[in-house]
Structures are given as C-alpha cells and as structure tokens.
Amino acid sequence: MTDTMIDIQNLSVRFGSNTAVRDCSFSVHQGGAFGLVGESGSGKSTILRTIMGLNPDWSGTIRIAGLNPHKTERKQLARVVQMVFQDPYASLHPRYVIGHQIAEPMRIHGMPDPAGRTAELLDLIGLSASFQYRYPHELSGGQRQRVAIARALALNPRILLLDEPTSALDVSIQAEILNLLNRLRSELGLTFLIVSHDLAVISYMCEELMVMRNATPVERLTRAQLRSGEIASDYTRQLIAAV
Ligand code: ADP
Ligand code: MG
C-alpha cells in the first residue's frame, strides 16, 4: 500500500467550452492536510466534485487511496472518502432528527450497531447524546456543522474533502470548528483536502497549499515557505496582503 492518499496529476475539467480547471497536479500523504486557496470561481470546488465523480468531462489522473474513483463502485468509494460542505443546513434534511441522519449511512451499508455508534460519534464531535433527538433547526450553525462532520465520519472514511467548511459560520465559531477538525485529523489519522477562499483558514489548517486563479494553479507552497515569505507569485502576495 502507498503512503499517498490523494494523487492528482494533470487534472483538467471542462463544462462545455469552458475550462474550469487547467492542468492541476498535487498529492497528499496519509495523515496530511492540503489546501486549495483562491478567489471565488477559480475552480476549487470543481476539483473536489471531480474527485467525487460528480463531473464527467475531465482528463488526467485521479487516485484516492490507490483507487480510481471513476471506476470504483459508489458504495466502496463512500467508505474511503467523504465530503463536508460549506452550508450544513443544506446538507441536513429538515424533517429528520439528527440521530437518524447520522445513522442513515451506517444502515445503508449494513454496519453493526448504528445507534451505539451514533452516540459515539456525537461524543467525538463534542455534542451530548441527547442531540440525536433534535431537529436541525433546533441547532446553532456551529452545532449543525459538527453534525455534518459526524455524519461524514459515520462510515469511517480515511479522507475528508472539506469545501469551505467554516465560511457560512460566525467568525467566533469558525475557530471552534477548525480546532475540532484538527483534533479529528490527528485522533483518527484522517487525510484532509480543504478548499477555502480564506488564506488564513488554509494556512492554519494545512502543511501545504496550492494557490488557484482562473482555473489555473498559480503556485504550490509549504506553510513554512508561506510564513517565511518564500513566495514566487505576485498574486499570492496580494492574497496575503488581503488577510
Ligand atoms: P470555486 O470553488 O473556486 O469558487 P468553482 O469550482 O465552483 O469555483 O467554479 C469554477 C468555474 O466552473 C466557474 O466559472 C463556475 O461557473 C464553473 N462551474 C462550476 N460548476 C459548474 C457546472 N456544474 N456547470 C457549469 N459550470 C460550472
Ligand atoms: Mg467553491
């Protein structure tokens, strides 16, 4: 088995005549956190959605824990990689209690003891077991994002793709969720690919990052290079100045 959990080589993605991602390459090792940062429309979410098999028109190579996601059964892929979205309200069903929503993927996959594991997952993300009886509208934004994270972890995936995981939250809550994610990464040995327009979020969370602009990778940096100012592109300098 390889130590590389995410390997993207020469990825290009098109929507009709529009190229949304152009010749993008990076890899993430087991337990690592890699960030994609850039302004709105630069192609970041498209990379995540293409990894999940949601965009048909692409070229290049994608390997997730050694698997080609486009040739892997959806159910098998779901046990390896899960996505967390910006808006937890949109990703939770308003009419079902939290416990039902966390347990649902476990039931679909025939995992043993979904109820017991739901209580464990709530504990893991810092909510008491009584939250399983509540509805999404009874929770704060931060609590809802915790629940979305618990559900993403239900099948014990090794990789999380996080798309602007704190952008919809109040600034005061953002750090709480980022710290929760960091703790989960180290406790569970997860590998993260995180997308944000916010360089402060990416540099807090990720050891390595790629700056995207107009569908194109601008530059790849380690956090150490970022902090010591070893930066090649003027565009990256502009992003730093904006933080
Ligand atoms: P980001 O996440 O960096 O804000 P996106 O990846 O969402 O950017 O979008 C990149 C480009 O691809 C944009 O020009 C967007 O309009 C286009 N795009 C994204 N998804 C689709 C789609 N399903 N159909 C057509 N165009 C899309
Ligand atoms: Mg996006």
Side-chain angles (χ1 to χ4, degrees):
M1 279 304 282
T2 163
D3 186 47
T4 302
M5 291 299 279
I6 302 175
D7 191 28
I8 308 293
Q9 297 301 326
N10 309 109
L11 178 67
S12 293
V13 187
R14 284 159 296 274
F15 295 106
S17 60
N18 175 35
T19 298
V21 176
R22 188 176 286 113
D23 197 18
C24 176
S25 302
F26 59 91
S27 60
V28 192
H29 64 84
Q30 153 70 41
F34 190 95
L36 298 171
V37 65
E39 64 201 68
S40 175
S42 56
K44 308 180 298 296
S45 297
T46 298
I47 293 174
L48 298 194
R49 292 175 53 80
T50 306
I51 290 174
M52 295 304 286
L54 300 173
N55 291 320
D57 189 3
W58 62 279
S59 59
T61 306
I62 303 175
R63 289 289 178 278
I64 296 298
L67 299 169
N68 177 346
H70 295 255
K71 294 196 168 147
T72 304
E73 225 194 305
R74 217 151 255 294
K75 256 178 122 170
Q76 191 190 351
L77 194 65
R79 288 171 168 260
V80 175
V81 57
Q82 287 283 328
M83 209 159 152
V84 174
F85 299 92
Q86 170 172 350
D87 181 2
Y89 220 6
S91 62
L92 296 175
H93 197 292
R95 301 260 285 273
Y96 292 105
V97 292
I98 297 308
H100 175 91
Q101 305 200 45
I102 294 176
E104 191 182 30
M106 297 187 257
R107 295 215 172 83
I108 291 170
H109 284 251
M111 281 175 79
D113 191 22
R117 191 162 154 67
T118 296
E120 271 173 34
L121 282 163
L122 282 169
D123 185 56
L124 184 69
I125 50 98
L127 294 178
S128 70
S130 65
F131 273 84
Q132 60 191 299
Y133 307 111
R134 298 203 195 173
Y135 289 90
H137 74 265
E138 299 176 303
L139 274 59
S140 70
Q143 288 169 339
R144 278 197 292 270
Q145 192 57 303
R146 284 174 192 267
V147 169
I149 292 165
R151 194 176 54 173
L153 294 174
L155 300 175
N156 255 325
R158 306 176 70 191
I159 301 168
L160 289 187
L161 308 183
L162 300 140
D163 195 349
E164 306 270 5
T166 58
S167 300
L169 303 175
D170 289 348
V171 179
S172 60
I173 306 298
Q174 288 186 14
E176 261 179 40
I177 298 296
L178 296 179
N179 290 334
L180 169 69
L181 288 168
N182 275 336
R183 176 170 66 75
L184 294 171
R185 175 162 74 104
S186 82
E187 277 179 18
L188 305 176
L190 297 167
T191 302
F192 284 177
L193 176 56
I194 309 176
V195 158
S196 179
H197 68 282
D198 186 342
L199 184 60
V201 166
I202 293 298
S203 67
Y204 185 64
M205 298 296 288
C206 304
E207 295 95 35
E208 211 182 338
L209 60 112
M210 189 161 79
V211 179
M212 300 277 302
R213 186 186 199 189
N214 297 335
T216 311
V218 172
E219 95 180 281
R220 234 161 85 182
L221 292 165
T222 63
R223 179 155 53 197
Q225 286 172 321
L226 186 69
R227 289 189 175 159
S228 65
E230 288 172 67
I231 292 150
S233 100
D234 286 338
Y235 181 66
T236 306
R237 282 195 201 91
Q238 283 173 35
L239 281 185
I240 293 169
V243 169

